[in-house]
Amino acid sequence: MGLNLIKHSIGTEELLFSLVTEIETQDNCEVKGGREIKKILKSYSKTTVSSKYVTDRAVTLEGTVSVWIIYLDEKGCLSSDEHTCFFSKTLQADNELTDGTVTATVCDERVEIKIIGGSSVSVSTRAGIEVLVHKNTEKEIVCDIDSKNIEKLRGTLEGTIPIALGEKNLVVE
């Protein structure tokens, strides 16, 4: 009788890098159609991370910030426009990040739009971002072994261990 091994693969996830930071963009743009802006009524921004990748000790995020503007033009007509800014941010880590998987969660915080003059505006946005780098590793563990030279010790072990005993009162009518 030979050696009989039964192994199972166990996957573990290790957190290599965790950081919460901000992405800020600033840009000047002109609204389409060249209409003169009298008053900005509402503005909204949406930050999207389009690519994220890991090098030896750094995480690089690239994406876009789309800004929508609702305004009144010189004739008092309601108009809207969209402007897109691009960003790239590199975050440095203290340890090796090789073979890690990047997860980025974005929360738009604020957008400020100022009229520069005529149809030009200054756009400033800020978004909070949480960056996590995980690494999955597979390990094999021996869960059963059988051979004529191995002694089997058998016993029982409780699956749960009581921590405390409690009482619950129940009213019966």
Side-chain angles (χ1 to χ4, degrees):
M1 179 176 170
L3 181 65
N4 185 17
L5 280 174
I6 297 176
K7 294 181 180 181
H8 282 291
S9 180
I10 302 278
T12 58
E13 186 175 88
E14 179 184 358
L15 180 64
L16 298 176
F17 180 73
S18 175
L19 182 69
V20 177
T21 187
E22 289 183 340
I23 295 174
E24 293 186 29
T25 60
Q26 282 191 315
D27 199 7
N28 294 336
C29 65
E30 286 196 25
V31 295
K32 296 174 186 161
R35 297 185 185 115
E36 186 176 330
I37 301 172
K38 288 295 182 187
K39 184 177 182 181
I40 295 175
L41 301 175
K42 185 157 175 91
S43 58
Y44 174 78
S45 70
K46 177 70 177 160
T47 304
T48 307
V49 177
S50 57
S51 68
K52 46 194 182 254
Y53 50 91
V54 176
T55 56
D56 294 335
R57 291 182 180 260
V59 178
T60 303
L61 305 169
E62 294 175 345
T64 59
V65 179
S66 297
V67 179
W68 292 273
I69 307 167
I70 299 173
Y71 63 94
L72 290 175
D73 63 7
E74 71 273 359
K75 297 178 185 175
C77 296
L78 189 64
S79 299
S80 67
D81 193 26
E82 179 185 355
H83 178 67
T84 303
C85 303
F86 297 96
F87 71 87
S88 178
K89 183 145 186 145
T90 302
L91 308 169
Q92 297 295 327
D94 295 334
N95 53 349
E96 280 291 318
L97 302 177
T98 310
D99 300 329
T101 304
V102 182
T103 306
T105 307
V106 180
C107 178
D108 291 297
E109 293 176 0
R110 74 166 174 87
V111 59
E112 289 181 8
I113 307 220
K114 296 178 184 172
I115 301 171
I116 296 174
S119 62
S120 297
V121 291
S122 173
V123 178
S124 175
T125 66
R126 179 182 292 166
I129 186 162
E130 179 184 24
V131 180
L132 301 171
V133 179
H134 294 277
K135 182 178 181 180
N136 293 328
T137 56
E138 293 281 329
K139 295 180 182 178
E140 284 196 349
I141 62 167
V142 175
C143 60
D144 193 15
I145 188 168
D146 190 18
S147 176
K148 64 180 181 177
N149 297 326
I150 296 177
E151 178 183 357
K152 292 184 182 178
L153 300 175
R154 297 193 177 180
T156 59
L157 180 65
E158 290 185 35
T160 59
I161 300 169
I163 296 173
L165 297 175
E167 291 184 13
K168 183 174 182 181
N169 295 328
L170 181 65
V171 178
V172 178
E173 292 183 13

